[in-house]
Every structure is written in C-alpha cells, then in structure tokens.
Amino acid sequence: MVLDMRLRKATMEDLPHIESLIADGRDHLAAQGIDQWQKTYPHQDDLIKDIKNGWTVVNVDEETGELLGTCAVIPGPDATYAEIDGQWLTKDATYVAVHRVSVSRAHRGKGLTSKLFQEIFDRVDTMPTIESIRIDTNEKNTAMQHIIMKNGFTATGKVTLKRADVYGVKNFAYEKLTANIKPEHIVQTEAAQ
C-alpha cells in the first residue's frame, strides 16, 4: 500500500497524536534494549514548546488524516552541537537541527522516516539562509543510524548531550549540506587539501 502524504506544521490539536507517536518510538527503542528516550525526555513540555515555536512538523496521510510521523526542525545554534568530538562539515554556517523523530508503529518498515526526511530536505533547500542540517542519535540506535546515512548525512563524530536527564551521554552526530551552503563555511579537512 502506497501512502499519499504531506508535510505540515503541527498545531496544538495534534499534541495527543504526537505524544502517541513519541510513545511508539519510546516503546520501540525499549524493545531493542536501547535506553534512548527511556527517562523523561522527550517531555510533554518539550513537545508543547516545539509546537508553539512552529518547529514541529507532521507527516499526514492525505486520505485518512492520520499522523504518520513527526519531528522537530529547530533553528541552530543548538547547545549540544557547540562542541564535538570530531568535526562538523561546516563552520559558522546557519543550520537546523532535527530532533524527536518518530513514526507510527502501525506503519513501521514502510520508509516513513526517509520520506519525512526527504520532505524536510526539500523545504529546507528553499530557505536561502539555512546551509546545513544536523542530527544525532544514540550509539545503540543502529536502525536510525542507517536511515540517517541512507538519507545523505555524513557522520561527523560524537556530541555530549546537555539535558539534565541524560547529561553526559554521547550520541553519534551527523550533518547534511543544503543547496544553500556558502563555500566559505565548508570545513576543509586535511585529506581534501
């Protein structure tokens, strides 16, 4: 079955459905023995703040109106990304960070996360000031690592989380350049010189 989807900004009316999608993600991670999202994060306050700031997007089934997936696309700078054990692809570039990615358990395995990412990339490429997209995930979350890499991100190292409930946890970090990258903001590695 092919789902006809569209990406839109979330509203407060979507909150119960977004919480359900996050719960699906939390349960899925727990079933794999991954401790990501197993404490208080993401908390309802995080989700409300994201919606009120216009950062949350949802992928909606056009036919049924069902929310299939969600994430927050948050303008940088992100405190977690201020320091990295590794090297970002960019320096002094404007970026958005993708956080709190989750899809419906009823449709897991249908490529929804990739479709969600592709729609975000298409939108971000129309924003002339956004030069890259950053994301991170738990070291044990190999499924998300695979999806991130499959969707054109480059592994850049590890970042240390700054939230109280997981302070000090190190996640794998990734970055993807947008169509609007300024050449002077691309980090030149020694291998590339």
PDB file of all heavy atoms in Angstrom, residues 102-141:
ATOM      1  N   SER A 102       9.931  10.429  15.153  1.00  0.00           N
ATOM      2  CA  SER A 102       9.195   9.195  15.450  1.00  0.00           C
ATOM      3  C   SER A 102       8.120   8.969  14.400  1.00  0.00           C
ATOM      4  O   SER A 102       7.542   9.929  13.881  1.00  0.00           O
ATOM      5  CB  SER A 102       8.563   9.272  16.848  1.00  0.00           C
ATOM      6  OG  SER A 102       8.138   7.990  17.254  1.00  0.00           O
ATOM      7  N   VAL A 103       7.877   7.703  14.110  1.00  0.00           N
ATOM      8  CA  VAL A 103       6.823   7.346  13.157  1.00  0.00           C
ATOM      9  C   VAL A 103       5.864   6.360  13.809  1.00  0.00           C
ATOM     10  O   VAL A 103       6.184   5.712  14.798  1.00  0.00           O
ATOM     11  CB  VAL A 103       7.390   6.750  11.851  1.00  0.00           C
ATOM     12  CG1 VAL A 103       8.256   7.768  11.126  1.00  0.00           C
ATOM     13  CG2 VAL A 103       8.153   5.478  12.100  1.00  0.00           C
ATOM     14  N   SER A 104       4.699   6.242  13.218  1.00  0.00           N
ATOM     15  CA  SER A 104       3.641   5.371  13.723  1.00  0.00           C
ATOM     16  C   SER A 104       4.064   3.910  13.688  1.00  0.00           C
ATOM     17  O   SER A 104       4.574   3.424  12.678  1.00  0.00           O
ATOM     18  CB  SER A 104       2.383   5.554  12.868  1.00  0.00           C
ATOM     19  OG  SER A 104       1.450   4.537  13.118  1.00  0.00           O
ATOM     20  N   ARG A 105       3.818   3.227  14.788  1.00  0.00           N
ATOM     21  CA  ARG A 105       4.135   1.794  14.831  1.00  0.00           C
ATOM     22  C   ARG A 105       3.319   1.016  13.809  1.00  0.00           C
ATOM     23  O   ARG A 105       3.751  -0.007  13.308  1.00  0.00           O
ATOM     24  CB  ARG A 105       3.955   1.236  16.239  1.00  0.00           C
ATOM     25  CG  ARG A 105       2.535   0.856  16.584  1.00  0.00           C
ATOM     26  CD  ARG A 105       2.356   0.175  17.912  1.00  0.00           C
ATOM     27  NE  ARG A 105       2.807   1.021  18.993  1.00  0.00           N
ATOM     28  CZ  ARG A 105       3.215   0.592  20.168  1.00  0.00           C
ATOM     29  NH1 ARG A 105       3.217  -0.675  20.439  1.00  0.00           N
ATOM     30  NH2 ARG A 105       3.604   1.428  21.091  1.00  0.00           N
ATOM     31  N   ALA A 106       2.131   1.512  13.490  1.00  0.00           N
ATOM     32  CA  ALA A 106       1.264   0.814  12.533  1.00  0.00           C
ATOM     33  C   ALA A 106       1.854   0.811  11.126  1.00  0.00           C
ATOM     34  O   ALA A 106       1.473  -0.013  10.294  1.00  0.00           O
ATOM     35  CB  ALA A 106      -0.118   1.463  12.515  1.00  0.00           C
ATOM     36  N   HIS A 107       2.775   1.731  10.866  1.00  0.00           N
ATOM     37  CA  HIS A 107       3.342   1.841   9.515  1.00  0.00           C
ATOM     38  C   HIS A 107       4.859   1.692   9.511  1.00  0.00           C
ATOM     39  O   HIS A 107       5.516   2.050   8.526  1.00  0.00           O
ATOM     40  CB  HIS A 107       2.940   3.188   8.905  1.00  0.00           C
ATOM     41  CG  HIS A 107       1.466   3.370   8.792  1.00  0.00           C
ATOM     42  ND1 HIS A 107       0.690   2.691   7.881  1.00  0.00           N
ATOM     43  CD2 HIS A 107       0.609   4.121   9.531  1.00  0.00           C
ATOM     44  CE1 HIS A 107      -0.580   3.045   8.032  1.00  0.00           C
ATOM     45  NE2 HIS A 107      -0.649   3.904   9.027  1.00  0.00           N
ATOM     46  N   ARG A 108       5.421   1.172  10.583  1.00  0.00           N
ATOM     47  CA  ARG A 108       6.873   0.981  10.666  1.00  0.00           C
ATOM     48  C   ARG A 108       7.328   0.036   9.557  1.00  0.00           C
ATOM     49  O   ARG A 108       6.648  -0.906   9.206  1.00  0.00           O
ATOM     50  CB  ARG A 108       7.231   0.411  12.039  1.00  0.00           C
ATOM     51  CG  ARG A 108       8.708   0.552  12.346  1.00  0.00           C
ATOM     52  CD  ARG A 108       9.024   0.289  13.793  1.00  0.00           C
ATOM     53  NE  ARG A 108       8.633   1.460  14.592  1.00  0.00           N
ATOM     54  CZ  ARG A 108       7.857   1.397  15.669  1.00  0.00           C
ATOM     55  NH1 ARG A 108       7.403   0.239  16.081  1.00  0.00           N
ATOM     56  NH2 ARG A 108       7.544   2.482  16.324  1.00  0.00           N
ATOM     57  N   GLY A 109       8.507   0.302   9.009  1.00  0.00           N
ATOM     58  CA  GLY A 109       9.060  -0.549   7.954  1.00  0.00           C
ATOM     59  C   GLY A 109       8.630  -0.151   6.558  1.00  0.00           C
ATOM     60  O   GLY A 109       8.959  -0.839   5.586  1.00  0.00           O
ATOM     61  N   LYS A 110       7.916   0.966   6.436  1.00  0.00           N
ATOM     62  CA  LYS A 110       7.443   1.417   5.116  1.00  0.00           C
ATOM     63  C   LYS A 110       8.231   2.618   4.590  1.00  0.00           C
ATOM     64  O   LYS A 110       7.800   3.272   3.652  1.00  0.00           O
ATOM     65  CB  LYS A 110       5.960   1.782   5.195  1.00  0.00           C
ATOM     66  CG  LYS A 110       5.072   0.597   5.521  1.00  0.00           C
ATOM     67  CD  LYS A 110       3.617   1.005   5.577  1.00  0.00           C
ATOM     68  CE  LYS A 110       2.736  -0.193   5.945  1.00  0.00           C
ATOM     69  NZ  LYS A 110       1.324   0.191   6.105  1.00  0.00           N
ATOM     70  N   GLY A 111       9.360   2.903   5.221  1.00  0.00           N
ATOM     71  CA  GLY A 111      10.192   4.008   4.746  1.00  0.00           C
ATOM     72  C   GLY A 111       9.685   5.383   5.137  1.00  0.00           C
ATOM     73  O   GLY A 111      10.061   6.376   4.510  1.00  0.00           O
ATOM     74  N   LEU A 112       8.844   5.456   6.174  1.00  0.00           N
ATOM     75  CA  LEU A 112       8.264   6.748   6.554  1.00  0.00           C
ATOM     76  C   LEU A 112       9.300   7.752   7.027  1.00  0.00           C
ATOM     77  O   LEU A 112       9.174   8.949   6.735  1.00  0.00           O
ATOM     78  CB  LEU A 112       7.204   6.564   7.646  1.00  0.00           C
ATOM     79  CG  LEU A 112       5.909   5.885   7.231  1.00  0.00           C
ATOM     80  CD1 LEU A 112       4.944   5.823   8.411  1.00  0.00           C
ATOM     81  CD2 LEU A 112       5.258   6.617   6.073  1.00  0.00           C
ATOM     82  N   THR A 113      10.313   7.303   7.753  1.00  0.00           N
ATOM     83  CA  THR A 113      11.318   8.250   8.238  1.00  0.00           C
ATOM     84  C   THR A 113      12.078   8.849   7.061  1.00  0.00           C
ATOM     85  O   THR A 113      12.316  10.061   7.024  1.00  0.00           O
ATOM     86  CB  THR A 113      12.283   7.578   9.234  1.00  0.00           C
ATOM     87  OG1 THR A 113      11.512   7.003  10.300  1.00  0.00           O
ATOM     88  CG2 THR A 113      13.258   8.584   9.814  1.00  0.00           C
ATOM     89  N   SER A 114      12.419   8.042   6.080  1.00  0.00           N
ATOM     90  CA  SER A 114      13.100   8.564   4.894  1.00  0.00           C
ATOM     91  C   SER A 114      12.213   9.550   4.147  1.00  0.00           C
ATOM     92  O   SER A 114      12.683  10.599   3.692  1.00  0.00           O
ATOM     93  CB  SER A 114      13.519   7.429   3.963  1.00  0.00           C
ATOM     94  OG  SER A 114      14.586   6.691   4.523  1.00  0.00           O
ATOM     95  N   LYS A 115      10.939   9.239   4.033  1.00  0.00           N
ATOM     96  CA  LYS A 115      10.018  10.158   3.353  1.00  0.00           C
ATOM     97  C   LYS A 115       9.886  11.461   4.134  1.00  0.00           C
ATOM     98  O   LYS A 115       9.854  12.550   3.546  1.00  0.00           O
ATOM     99  CB  LYS A 115       8.657   9.497   3.167  1.00  0.00           C
ATOM    100  CG  LYS A 115       8.680   8.378   2.146  1.00  0.00           C
ATOM    101  CD  LYS A 115       7.363   7.650   2.056  1.00  0.00           C
ATOM    102  CE  LYS A 115       7.488   6.459   1.116  1.00  0.00           C
ATOM    103  NZ  LYS A 115       6.289   5.642   1.069  1.00  0.00           N
ATOM    104  N   LEU A 116       9.832  11.373   5.446  1.00  0.00           N
ATOM    105  CA  LEU A 116       9.772  12.558   6.290  1.00  0.00           C
ATOM    106  C   LEU A 116      11.033  13.398   6.085  1.00  0.00           C
ATOM    107  O   LEU A 116      10.961  14.612   5.872  1.00  0.00           O
ATOM    108  CB  LEU A 116       9.633  12.131   7.757  1.00  0.00           C
ATOM    109  CG  LEU A 116       9.564  13.220   8.822  1.00  0.00           C
ATOM    110  CD1 LEU A 116       8.311  14.071   8.663  1.00  0.00           C
ATOM    111  CD2 LEU A 116       9.584  12.587  10.215  1.00  0.00           C
ATOM    112  N   PHE A 117      12.204  12.760   6.117  1.00  0.00           N
ATOM    113  CA  PHE A 117      13.456  13.472   5.893  1.00  0.00           C
ATOM    114  C   PHE A 117      13.472  14.147   4.526  1.00  0.00           C
ATOM    115  O   PHE A 117      13.865  15.300   4.406  1.00  0.00           O
ATOM    116  CB  PHE A 117      14.649  12.523   6.003  1.00  0.00           C
ATOM    117  CG  PHE A 117      15.066  12.171   7.404  1.00  0.00           C
ATOM    118  CD1 PHE A 117      15.963  11.145   7.620  1.00  0.00           C
ATOM    119  CD2 PHE A 117      14.590  12.854   8.511  1.00  0.00           C
ATOM    120  CE1 PHE A 117      16.373  10.812   8.904  1.00  0.00           C
ATOM    121  CE2 PHE A 117      14.987  12.529   9.792  1.00  0.00           C
ATOM    122  CZ  PHE A 117      15.892  11.505   9.991  1.00  0.00           C
ATOM    123  N   GLN A 118      13.072  13.423   3.493  1.00  0.00           N
ATOM    124  CA  GLN A 118      13.129  13.987   2.138  1.00  0.00           C
ATOM    125  C   GLN A 118      12.238  15.219   2.005  1.00  0.00           C
ATOM    126  O   GLN A 118      12.610  16.200   1.357  1.00  0.00           O
ATOM    127  CB  GLN A 118      12.762  12.928   1.093  1.00  0.00           C
ATOM    128  CG  GLN A 118      13.809  11.842   0.936  1.00  0.00           C
ATOM    129  CD  GLN A 118      15.192  12.378   0.625  1.00  0.00           C
ATOM    130  OE1 GLN A 118      15.378  13.234  -0.223  1.00  0.00           O
ATOM    131  NE2 GLN A 118      16.190  11.872   1.344  1.00  0.00           N
ATOM    132  N   GLU A 119      11.073  15.182   2.635  1.00  0.00           N
ATOM    133  CA  GLU A 119      10.194  16.357   2.588  1.00  0.00           C
ATOM    134  C   GLU A 119      10.816  17.528   3.341  1.00  0.00           C
ATOM    135  O   GLU A 119      10.707  18.678   2.904  1.00  0.00           O
ATOM    136  CB  GLU A 119       8.819  16.010   3.150  1.00  0.00           C
ATOM    137  CG  GLU A 119       8.027  15.097   2.233  1.00  0.00           C
ATOM    138  CD  GLU A 119       6.593  14.908   2.694  1.00  0.00           C
ATOM    139  OE1 GLU A 119       5.920  15.916   2.961  1.00  0.00           O
ATOM    140  OE2 GLU A 119       6.151  13.749   2.785  1.00  0.00           O
ATOM    141  N   ILE A 120      11.470  17.249   4.456  1.00  0.00           N
ATOM    142  CA  ILE A 120      12.159  18.310   5.202  1.00  0.00           C
ATOM    143  C   ILE A 120      13.295  18.878   4.352  1.00  0.00           C
ATOM    144  O   ILE A 120      13.446  20.103   4.245  1.00  0.00           O
ATOM    145  CB  ILE A 120      12.681  17.770   6.548  1.00  0.00           C
ATOM    146  CG1 ILE A 120      11.496  17.485   7.471  1.00  0.00           C
ATOM    147  CG2 ILE A 120      13.655  18.758   7.197  1.00  0.00           C
ATOM    148  CD1 ILE A 120      11.850  16.673   8.692  1.00  0.00           C
ATOM    149  N   PHE A 121      14.088  18.017   3.728  1.00  0.00           N
ATOM    150  CA  PHE A 121      15.193  18.489   2.891  1.00  0.00           C
ATOM    151  C   PHE A 121      14.673  19.399   1.776  1.00  0.00           C
ATOM    152  O   PHE A 121      15.263  20.440   1.486  1.00  0.00           O
ATOM    153  CB  PHE A 121      15.955  17.324   2.251  1.00  0.00           C
ATOM    154  CG  PHE A 121      16.549  16.343   3.218  1.00  0.00           C
ATOM    155  CD1 PHE A 121      16.874  15.070   2.790  1.00  0.00           C
ATOM    156  CD2 PHE A 121      16.785  16.666   4.553  1.00  0.00           C
ATOM    157  CE1 PHE A 121      17.437  14.141   3.650  1.00  0.00           C
ATOM    158  CE2 PHE A 121      17.343  15.751   5.424  1.00  0.00           C
ATOM    159  CZ  PHE A 121      17.666  14.478   4.977  1.00  0.00           C
ATOM    160  N   ASP A 122      13.580  18.979   1.130  1.00  0.00           N
ATOM    161  CA  ASP A 122      13.005  19.790   0.048  1.00  0.00           C
ATOM    162  C   ASP A 122      12.614  21.170   0.546  1.00  0.00           C
ATOM    163  O   ASP A 122      12.851  22.176  -0.133  1.00  0.00           O
ATOM    164  CB  ASP A 122      11.788  19.089  -0.565  1.00  0.00           C
ATOM    165  CG  ASP A 122      12.153  17.849  -1.357  1.00  0.00           C
ATOM    166  OD1 ASP A 122      13.350  17.643  -1.653  1.00  0.00           O
ATOM    167  OD2 ASP A 122      11.226  17.069  -1.676  1.00  0.00           O
ATOM    168  N   ARG A 123      12.014  21.230   1.725  1.00  0.00           N
ATOM    169  CA  ARG A 123      11.609  22.526   2.294  1.00  0.00           C
ATOM    170  C   ARG A 123      12.814  23.360   2.696  1.00  0.00           C
ATOM    171  O   ARG A 123      12.863  24.557   2.431  1.00  0.00           O
ATOM    172  CB  ARG A 123      10.702  22.317   3.503  1.00  0.00           C
ATOM    173  CG  ARG A 123       9.378  21.699   3.141  1.00  0.00           C
ATOM    174  CD  ARG A 123       8.233  22.590   3.514  1.00  0.00           C
ATOM    175  NE  ARG A 123       6.987  21.926   3.161  1.00  0.00           N
ATOM    176  CZ  ARG A 123       5.954  21.860   3.949  1.00  0.00           C
ATOM    177  NH1 ARG A 123       5.982  22.413   5.151  1.00  0.00           N
ATOM    178  NH2 ARG A 123       4.847  21.273   3.545  1.00  0.00           N
ATOM    179  N   VAL A 124      13.764  22.737   3.368  1.00  0.00           N
ATOM    180  CA  VAL A 124      14.937  23.476   3.837  1.00  0.00           C
ATOM    181  C   VAL A 124      15.731  24.033   2.657  1.00  0.00           C
ATOM    182  O   VAL A 124      16.263  25.148   2.722  1.00  0.00           O
ATOM    183  CB  VAL A 124      15.812  22.600   4.763  1.00  0.00           C
ATOM    184  CG1 VAL A 124      17.151  23.260   5.059  1.00  0.00           C
ATOM    185  CG2 VAL A 124      15.070  22.305   6.066  1.00  0.00           C
ATOM    186  N   ASP A 125      15.794  23.291   1.555  1.00  0.00           N
ATOM    187  CA  ASP A 125      16.519  23.777   0.378  1.00  0.00           C
ATOM    188  C   ASP A 125      15.903  25.043  -0.205  1.00  0.00           C
ATOM    189  O   ASP A 125      16.577  25.765  -0.943  1.00  0.00           O
ATOM    190  CB  ASP A 125      16.608  22.686  -0.692  1.00  0.00           C
ATOM    191  CG  ASP A 125      17.764  21.727  -0.463  1.00  0.00           C
ATOM    192  OD1 ASP A 125      18.665  22.042   0.351  1.00  0.00           O
ATOM    193  OD2 ASP A 125      17.768  20.653  -1.091  1.00  0.00           O
ATOM    194  N   THR A 126      14.656  25.344   0.124  1.00  0.00           N
ATOM    195  CA  THR A 126      14.017  26.583  -0.353  1.00  0.00           C
ATOM    196  C   THR A 126      14.268  27.749   0.598  1.00  0.00           C
ATOM    197  O   THR A 126      13.843  28.865   0.317  1.00  0.00           O
ATOM    198  CB  THR A 126      12.493  26.411  -0.536  1.00  0.00           C
ATOM    199  OG1 THR A 126      11.879  26.249   0.749  1.00  0.00           O
ATOM    200  CG2 THR A 126      12.171  25.241  -1.449  1.00  0.00           C
ATOM    201  N   MET A 127      14.932  27.491   1.719  1.00  0.00           N
ATOM    202  CA  MET A 127      15.222  28.536   2.708  1.00  0.00           C
ATOM    203  C   MET A 127      16.658  29.018   2.489  1.00  0.00           C
ATOM    204  O   MET A 127      17.605  28.352   2.897  1.00  0.00           O
ATOM    205  CB  MET A 127      15.044  27.981   4.119  1.00  0.00           C
ATOM    206  CG  MET A 127      13.661  27.477   4.386  1.00  0.00           C
ATOM    207  SD  MET A 127      13.607  26.648   6.006  1.00  0.00           S
ATOM    208  CE  MET A 127      11.899  26.135   6.027  1.00  0.00           C
ATOM    209  N   PRO A 128      16.844  30.171   1.867  1.00  0.00           N
ATOM    210  CA  PRO A 128      18.181  30.592   1.439  1.00  0.00           C
ATOM    211  C   PRO A 128      19.195  30.793   2.557  1.00  0.00           C
ATOM    212  O   PRO A 128      20.397  30.772   2.300  1.00  0.00           O
ATOM    213  CB  PRO A 128      17.928  31.905   0.693  1.00  0.00           C
ATOM    214  CG  PRO A 128      16.570  32.343   1.090  1.00  0.00           C
ATOM    215  CD  PRO A 128      15.810  31.130   1.507  1.00  0.00           C
ATOM    216  N   THR A 129      18.758  30.948   3.789  1.00  0.00           N
ATOM    217  CA  THR A 129      19.715  31.193   4.870  1.00  0.00           C
ATOM    218  C   THR A 129      20.167  29.921   5.579  1.00  0.00           C
ATOM    219  O   THR A 129      21.100  29.963   6.371  1.00  0.00           O
ATOM    220  CB  THR A 129      19.126  32.150   5.920  1.00  0.00           C
ATOM    221  OG1 THR A 129      17.947  31.563   6.480  1.00  0.00           O
ATOM    222  CG2 THR A 129      18.789  33.498   5.301  1.00  0.00           C
ATOM    223  N   ILE A 130      19.527  28.778   5.314  1.00  0.00           N
ATOM    224  CA  ILE A 130      19.879  27.534   6.003  1.00  0.00           C
ATOM    225  C   ILE A 130      20.880  26.764   5.153  1.00  0.00           C
ATOM    226  O   ILE A 130      20.584  26.337   4.048  1.00  0.00           O
ATOM    227  CB  ILE A 130      18.634  26.665   6.296  1.00  0.00           C
ATOM    228  CG1 ILE A 130      17.587  27.460   7.075  1.00  0.00           C
ATOM    229  CG2 ILE A 130      19.044  25.391   7.039  1.00  0.00           C
ATOM    230  CD1 ILE A 130      18.071  27.997   8.410  1.00  0.00           C
ATOM    231  N   GLU A 131      22.088  26.557   5.721  1.00  0.00           N
ATOM    232  CA  GLU A 131      23.177  25.956   4.965  1.00  0.00           C
ATOM    233  C   GLU A 131      23.387  24.475   5.255  1.00  0.00           C
ATOM    234  O   GLU A 131      24.017  23.772   4.457  1.00  0.00           O
ATOM    235  CB  GLU A 131      24.470  26.714   5.238  1.00  0.00           C
ATOM    236  CG  GLU A 131      24.385  28.169   4.797  1.00  0.00           C
ATOM    237  CD  GLU A 131      25.638  28.940   5.141  1.00  0.00           C
ATOM    238  OE1 GLU A 131      26.656  28.733   4.446  1.00  0.00           O
ATOM    239  OE2 GLU A 131      25.605  29.729   6.104  1.00  0.00           O
ATOM    240  N   SER A 132      22.894  23.999   6.400  1.00  0.00           N
ATOM    241  CA  SER A 132      23.052  22.579   6.690  1.00  0.00           C
ATOM    242  C   SER A 132      21.988  22.108   7.668  1.00  0.00           C
ATOM    243  O   SER A 132      21.254  22.913   8.248  1.00  0.00           O
ATOM    244  CB  SER A 132      24.454  22.259   7.234  1.00  0.00           C
ATOM    245  OG  SER A 132      24.576  22.590   8.596  1.00  0.00           O
ATOM    246  N   ILE A 133      21.942  20.783   7.813  1.00  0.00           N
ATOM    247  CA  ILE A 133      21.015  20.129   8.737  1.00  0.00           C
ATOM    248  C   ILE A 133      21.857  19.211   9.612  1.00  0.00           C
ATOM    249  O   ILE A 133      22.696  18.459   9.101  1.00  0.00           O
ATOM    250  CB  ILE A 133      19.955  19.303   7.978  1.00  0.00           C
ATOM    251  CG1 ILE A 133      19.187  20.179   6.988  1.00  0.00           C
ATOM    252  CG2 ILE A 133      18.997  18.616   8.959  1.00  0.00           C
ATOM    253  CD1 ILE A 133      18.335  19.409   6.005  1.00  0.00           C
ATOM    254  N   ARG A 134      21.629  19.277  10.934  1.00  0.00           N
ATOM    255  CA  ARG A 134      22.354  18.420  11.862  1.00  0.00           C
ATOM    256  C   ARG A 134      21.375  17.521  12.609  1.00  0.00           C
ATOM    257  O   ARG A 134      20.226  17.899  12.829  1.00  0.00           O
ATOM    258  CB  ARG A 134      23.166  19.261  12.858  1.00  0.00           C
ATOM    259  CG  ARG A 134      24.292  20.028  12.186  1.00  0.00           C
ATOM    260  CD  ARG A 134      25.088  20.857  13.154  1.00  0.00           C
ATOM    261  NE  ARG A 134      26.176  21.551  12.453  1.00  0.00           N
ATOM    262  CZ  ARG A 134      27.028  22.372  13.043  1.00  0.00           C
ATOM    263  NH1 ARG A 134      26.955  22.605  14.352  1.00  0.00           N
ATOM    264  NH2 ARG A 134      27.977  22.960  12.339  1.00  0.00           N
ATOM    265  N   ILE A 135      21.874  16.361  13.003  1.00  0.00           N
ATOM    266  CA  ILE A 135      21.054  15.383  13.725  1.00  0.00           C
ATOM    267  C   ILE A 135      22.008  14.510  14.549  1.00  0.00           C
ATOM    268  O   ILE A 135      23.185  14.401  14.215  1.00  0.00           O
ATOM    269  CB  ILE A 135      20.203  14.541  12.740  1.00  0.00           C
ATOM    270  CG1 ILE A 135      19.137  13.727  13.470  1.00  0.00           C
ATOM    271  CG2 ILE A 135      21.080  13.674  11.859  1.00  0.00           C
ATOM    272  CD1 ILE A 135      18.095  13.090  12.532  1.00  0.00           C
ATOM    273  N   ASP A 136      21.491  13.928  15.619  1.00  0.00           N
ATOM    274  CA  ASP A 136      22.285  12.980  16.395  1.00  0.00           C
ATOM    275  C   ASP A 136      21.392  11.841  16.855  1.00  0.00           C
ATOM    276  O   ASP A 136      20.171  11.983  16.888  1.00  0.00           O
ATOM    277  CB  ASP A 136      22.954  13.666  17.599  1.00  0.00           C
ATOM    278  CG  ASP A 136      21.957  14.167  18.628  1.00  0.00           C
ATOM    279  OD1 ASP A 136      21.449  15.298  18.472  1.00  0.00           O
ATOM    280  OD2 ASP A 136      21.682  13.432  19.603  1.00  0.00           O
ATOM    281  N   THR A 137      22.017  10.726  17.208  1.00  0.00           N
ATOM    282  CA  THR A 137      21.260   9.598  17.733  1.00  0.00           C
ATOM    283  C   THR A 137      22.143   8.743  18.633  1.00  0.00           C
ATOM    284  O   THR A 137      23.367   8.815  18.577  1.00  0.00           O
ATOM    285  CB  THR A 137      20.637   8.745  16.602  1.00  0.00           C
ATOM    286  OG1 THR A 137      19.651   7.878  17.164  1.00  0.00           O
ATOM    287  CG2 THR A 137      21.676   7.930  15.861  1.00  0.00           C
ATOM    288  N   ASN A 138      21.492   7.951  19.432  1.00  0.00           N
ATOM    289  CA  ASN A 138      22.138   7.075  20.396  1.00  0.00           C
ATOM    290  C   ASN A 138      23.074   6.089  19.695  1.00  0.00           C
ATOM    291  O   ASN A 138      22.779   5.596  18.603  1.00  0.00           O
ATOM    292  CB  ASN A 138      21.040   6.323  21.172  1.00  0.00           C
ATOM    293  CG  ASN A 138      21.563   5.520  22.325  1.00  0.00           C
ATOM    294  OD1 ASN A 138      22.104   4.436  22.132  1.00  0.00           O
ATOM    295  ND2 ASN A 138      21.384   6.029  23.534  1.00  0.00           N
ATOM    296  N   GLU A 139      24.190   5.771  20.370  1.00  0.00           N
ATOM    297  CA  GLU A 139      25.169   4.832  19.812  1.00  0.00           C
ATOM    298  C   GLU A 139      24.573   3.467  19.496  1.00  0.00           C
ATOM    299  O   GLU A 139      25.026   2.774  18.593  1.00  0.00           O
ATOM    300  CB  GLU A 139      26.316   4.626  20.804  1.00  0.00           C
ATOM    301  CG  GLU A 139      27.181   5.831  21.026  1.00  0.00           C
ATOM    302  CD  GLU A 139      28.262   5.593  22.068  1.00  0.00           C
ATOM    303  OE1 GLU A 139      28.099   4.708  22.936  1.00  0.00           O
ATOM    304  OE2 GLU A 139      29.273   6.287  21.997  1.00  0.00           O
ATOM    305  N   LYS A 140      23.559   3.055  20.255  1.00  0.00           N
ATOM    306  CA  LYS A 140      22.956   1.736  20.058  1.00  0.00           C
ATOM    307  C   LYS A 140      21.817   1.743  19.033  1.00  0.00           C
ATOM    308  O   LYS A 140      21.335   0.687  18.650  1.00  0.00           O
ATOM    309  CB  LYS A 140      22.431   1.194  21.384  1.00  0.00           C
ATOM    310  CG  LYS A 140      23.520   0.907  22.394  1.00  0.00           C
ATOM    311  CD  LYS A 140      22.930   0.370  23.672  1.00  0.00           C
ATOM    312  CE  LYS A 140      24.002   0.128  24.720  1.00  0.00           C
ATOM    313  NZ  LYS A 140      23.424  -0.307  26.001  1.00  0.00           N
ATOM    314  N   ASN A 141      21.390   2.919  18.610  1.00  0.00           N
ATOM    315  CA  ASN A 141      20.250   3.012  17.698  1.00  0.00           C
ATOM    316  C   ASN A 141      20.729   2.839  16.256  1.00  0.00           C
ATOM    317  O   ASN A 141      20.757   3.768  15.455  1.00  0.00           O
ATOM    318  CB  ASN A 141      19.522   4.345  17.894  1.00  0.00           C
ATOM    319  CG  ASN A 141      18.161   4.362  17.245  1.00  0.00           C
ATOM    320  OD1 ASN A 141      17.839   3.520  16.414  1.00  0.00           O
ATOM    321  ND2 ASN A 141      17.357   5.340  17.617  1.00  0.00           N
TER     322      ASN A 141
END
